[in-house]
Amino acid sequence: MARLVVVQQQTQPCFSILTSSLSDFNGTRLHSQIQYKRKVWQPKGGLQVTASSEKKILIMGGTRFIGVFLSRLLVKEGHQVTLFTRGKAPITQQLPGESDQDYADFSSKILHLKGDRKDFDFVKSSLSAEGFDVVYDINGREADEVEPILDALPKLEQYIYCSSAGVYLKSDLLPHCEIDAVDPKSRHKGKLITEALLESKDVNWTSIRPVYIYGPLNYNPVEEWFFHRLKAGRPIPIPNSGMQITQLGHVKDLATAFIKVLGNEKASKQVFNISGEKYVTFDGLARACAKAGGFPEPELVHFNPKEFDFGKKKAFPFRDQHFFASVEKAKHVLGWKPEFDLVEGLTDSYNLDFGRGTFRKEADFSTDDMILGKSLVLQS
């Protein structure tokens, strides 16, 4: 069954501004030297949060998901944007609902640098020759992929890194806050080491830790997993009680957060959790996906994962635990606020992607059939 979680009820945001908002790698956190003093909050839009002048910006990645939306915002802000990719995917693609004129304008302004970021000599030579003011590292996973970029750009103004809330140490005290302990054995440990590298260098850095990201073009089968089953009229298998609490954040809200930290001195050497404001149970997420796609109330079938051997296949797209994070620091320090609530965001994703017949992965109901087959035997 689901593990009991204690949700912190707080009247003050659970964050502080640190010289380094990083935990060490032993499941403990660094002691704060500079405490954040809460100030009177300004209305949305009253805080200058973008760079005051045109910047020459490099995005590592940028053609799959997050960078697609981020690069459009940066171009609209008047920045010169270059995507560093291997060139295996088209550099630009017209988004659903995007006008021909908007797409043509964006395509005419985006630049491309073709290469493999693991070819460190090429990275150093090409970036040194180009020179960039700001780097958005969307696809970096290991610290050794970042060091050549820093070496090539000694005058870099800001390094903005896409980390993950998956770095936090599992805890009974939730939501996760930026000052919480991290897990050195996490599958995202490469991102932790990268954050530590950035902190150790003489560079102005900002790290963003999303929870689960969703939205149009999502290559991680988060909402798509539910949409496939809803469209097929199938029951939705959910592990254990279905009351596990998680959190999703829309990709467009994440892109906006990335814009908010650009040129923002309050974001210097800081970590920010970014996701939706509301938490949701697994059962609630299934119902929210049904509502977003205009499907009937789904039939939910709960199962015990320990009773099955699924091999290397995943029977459910989320980790079977409570997992959510506070976004209060981003709201108060950056003036950022998510635009989408969960159903609105899922509706946006459905209407602009799955509902148009596009998706990343074909439906695979093999694990479902194992679960449902056993369920039928037990019922009989």
Side-chain angles (χ1 to χ4, degrees), residues 118-375:
K118 294 185 178 181
D119 184 346
F120 299 153
D121 289 337
F122 174 78
V123 168
K124 288 181 181 180
S125 61
S126 61
L127 268 57
S128 296
E130 289 288 337
F132 292 97
D133 302 316
V134 177
V135 171
Y136 278 97
D137 193 347
I138 303 300
N139 62 9
R141 299 192 65 84
E142 303 295 339
D144 63 356
E145 301 171 355
V146 173
E147 198 152 13
I149 300 173
L150 300 178
D151 291 341
L153 301 170
K155 296 182 180 180
L156 188 68
E157 295 178 16
Q158 191 174 13
Y159 197 98
I160 303 171
Y161 185 61
C162 187
S163 185
S164 170
V167 302
Y168 291 114
L169 186 69
K170 189 174 181 179
S171 173
D172 291 325
L173 298 176
L174 294 168
H176 289 297
C177 299
E178 289 85 348
I179 58 175
D180 285 355
V182 296
D183 182 4
K185 298 180 181 179
S186 159
R187 69 184 185 90
H188 298 290
K189 62 183 180 182
K191 291 185 177 291
L192 275 180
I193 297 171
T194 300
E195 289 180 344
L197 171 70
L198 292 170
E199 172 65 12
S200 71
K201 297 288 185 177
D202 183 22
V203 60
N204 176 31
W205 60 270
T206 305
S207 184
I208 301 293
R209 291 177 179 172
V211 188
Y212 287 111
I213 312 167
Y214 73 106
L217 305 182
N218 192 3
Y219 56 85
N220 186 23
V222 174
E223 68 270 43
E224 181 180 290
W225 186 91
F226 291 92
F227 290 152
H228 271 308
R229 283 149 183 81
L230 291 164
K231 182 180 179 181
R234 295 176 62 96
I236 298 180
I238 296 179
N240 293 308
S241 70
M243 297 307 293
Q244 303 91 314
I245 301 170
T246 193
Q247 181 184 26
L248 284 75
H250 197 285
V251 64
K252 295 176 185 176
D253 287 329
L254 176 58
T256 301
F258 273 117
I259 294 293
K260 289 284 190 181
V261 302
L262 176 61
N264 187 342
E265 62 181 15
K266 294 181 179 179
S268 179
K269 299 187 177 182
Q270 294 297 317
V271 174
F272 296 96
N273 295 330
I274 297 294
S275 194
E277 290 186 285
K278 291 282 189 177
Y279 313 134
V280 64
T281 64
F282 288 170
D283 284 3
L285 178 55
R287 297 188 185 102
C289 286
K291 186 177 293 185
F295 295 103
E297 181 84 3
E299 178 188 353
L300 308 181
V301 175
H302 298 101
F303 68 97
N304 182 354
K306 294 181 179 179
E307 296 178 356
F308 298 89
D309 180 7
F310 298 117
K312 294 183 178 180
K313 290 188 175 182
K314 292 180 65 176
F316 194 69
F318 294 85
R319 59 187 72 187
D320 185 14
Q321 66 180 73
H322 299 297
F323 178 52
F324 51 100
S326 169
V327 297
E328 290 301 309
K329 180 178 177 180
K331 289 168 62 179
H332 287 81
V333 175
L334 302 176
W336 169 86
K337 182 177 175 64
E339 174 186 354
F340 295 95
D341 70 23
L342 184 58
V343 174
E344 288 174 342
L346 289 168
T347 301
D348 178 76
S349 180
Y350 184 83
N351 289 342
L352 296 182
D353 201 347
F354 195 92
R356 292 175 177 243
T358 56
F359 46 82
R360 313 293 86 74
K361 296 182 179 180
E362 295 288 343
D364 180 357
F365 301 131
S366 57
T367 57
D368 298 44
D369 291 339
M370 293 172 63
I371 295 163
L372 297 174
K374 184 165 186 175
S375 177

